Amino acid sequence: RRFSSAFTYVSRTCLCIYKLNINEYFLLYALSYCLILRMAYQIRNLEKGDFRKGYLNLLTQLTTVGEISEEDFSARLKEMDESPDYHIRVIEDSASGKIVASGTLLVERKFIHQCGKVGHIEDVVVNVDTRGQSLGRKIVDDLKRLGQELGCYKVILDCSNSNVSFYEKCNMTNKGIEMVIYF
């Protein structure tokens, strides 16, 4: 892995300087890994420049995207940015400058629950090359946090049966069946 030499340096330095016992050494090693991982990946809102950072290519790992020009991308992003109810979050790999994970929170305004709001998580995807690093969970947790901050009384999502266990690990509960009609 690309950060292994940094882990080794930090761990050996701390072991030598502070003469840590083995449990403290492994704890420090784990904390160093988390710190470096946090520096390597930045979570933020989708930006216009993400067109060139592979955002649409990432979405093709989830579903069909089609041919979208940079101009069309910018126009659609502008529409979404003008809405207070549309939030696309991405994770950028700081080393490569590529978008490696994404998810969307749509806020539905309701009359029930005293004019409450419901957050809908959509389009969660993690690049196949960066899976296994908890990036999907980071996106989902970020979208749940955002929904709560925006005053949603619940956050829901639809997923395939093969993804149920992942979302359960994100503290989501299986509550029903999705119905659909495509046009």
Side-chain angles (χ1 to χ4, degrees):
R1 298 230 159 202
R2 61 181 162 175
F3 298 114
S4 62
S5 61
F7 299 140
T8 304
Y9 174 78
V10 169
S11 300
R12 286 184 181 161
T13 301
C14 292
L15 182 64
C16 294
I17 294 173
Y18 299 108
K19 303 207 183 290
L20 301 175
N21 69 41
I22 195 68
N23 291 333
E24 293 168 328
Y25 172 77
F26 284 116
L27 177 62
L28 184 60
Y29 189 84
L31 291 173
S32 299
Y33 178 81
C34 290
L35 179 62
I36 291 170
L37 191 62
R38 179 175 237 168
M39 291 173 11
Y41 297 107
Q42 300 298 318
I43 190 164
R44 58 174 175 76
N45 292 325
L46 181 68
E47 300 171 351
K48 186 177 176 180
D50 294 336
F51 179 87
R52 293 179 185 258
K53 292 182 178 185
Y55 176 71
L56 295 179
N57 288 333
L58 174 66
L59 291 181
T60 64
Q61 295 181 32
L62 180 66
T63 191
T64 303
V65 174
E67 295 296 321
I68 299 174
S69 69
E70 190 167 0
E71 182 180 313
D72 291 340
F73 176 85
S74 296
R76 178 53 51 99
L77 182 59
K78 184 176 185 289
E79 285 176 33
M80 293 173 172
D81 283 346
E82 290 171 355
S83 169
D85 298 327
Y86 215 104
H87 309 273
I88 302 176
R89 301 287 285 163
V90 297
I91 295 179
E92 180 179 349
D93 179 340
S94 300
S96 70
K98 295 291 183 188
I99 303 302
V100 295
S102 179
T104 301
L105 179 73
L106 297 169
V107 178
E108 175 188 7
R109 295 169 185 268
K110 305 183 80 71
F111 285 106
I112 63 173
H113 293 276
Q114 298 178 328
C115 292
K117 299 178 196 174
V118 174
H120 296 264
I121 292 178
E122 294 283 340
D123 303 336
V124 174
V125 60
V126 176
N127 186 297
V128 68
D129 296 331
T130 56
R131 291 182 187 162
Q133 298 181 50
S134 300
L135 299 180
R137 184 168 185 154
K138 287 181 190 319
I139 282 285
V140 172
D141 287 347
D142 183 66
L143 295 172
K144 291 186 311 183
R145 175 200 54 77
L146 183 58
Q148 188 174 24
E149 285 178 7
L150 293 171
C152 296
Y153 69 89
K154 69 179 178 178
V155 173
I156 61 176
L157 60 84
D158 294 322
C159 70
S160 64
N161 287 334
S162 62
N163 289 331
V164 169
S165 64
F166 165 73
Y167 288 110
E168 287 175 338
K169 290 175 188 173
C170 296
N171 297 317
M172 309 273 310
T173 304
N174 191 342
K175 288 290 283 185
I177 297 172
E178 171 191 13
M179 306 297 286
V180 67
I181 184 168
Y182 290 100
F183 300 105

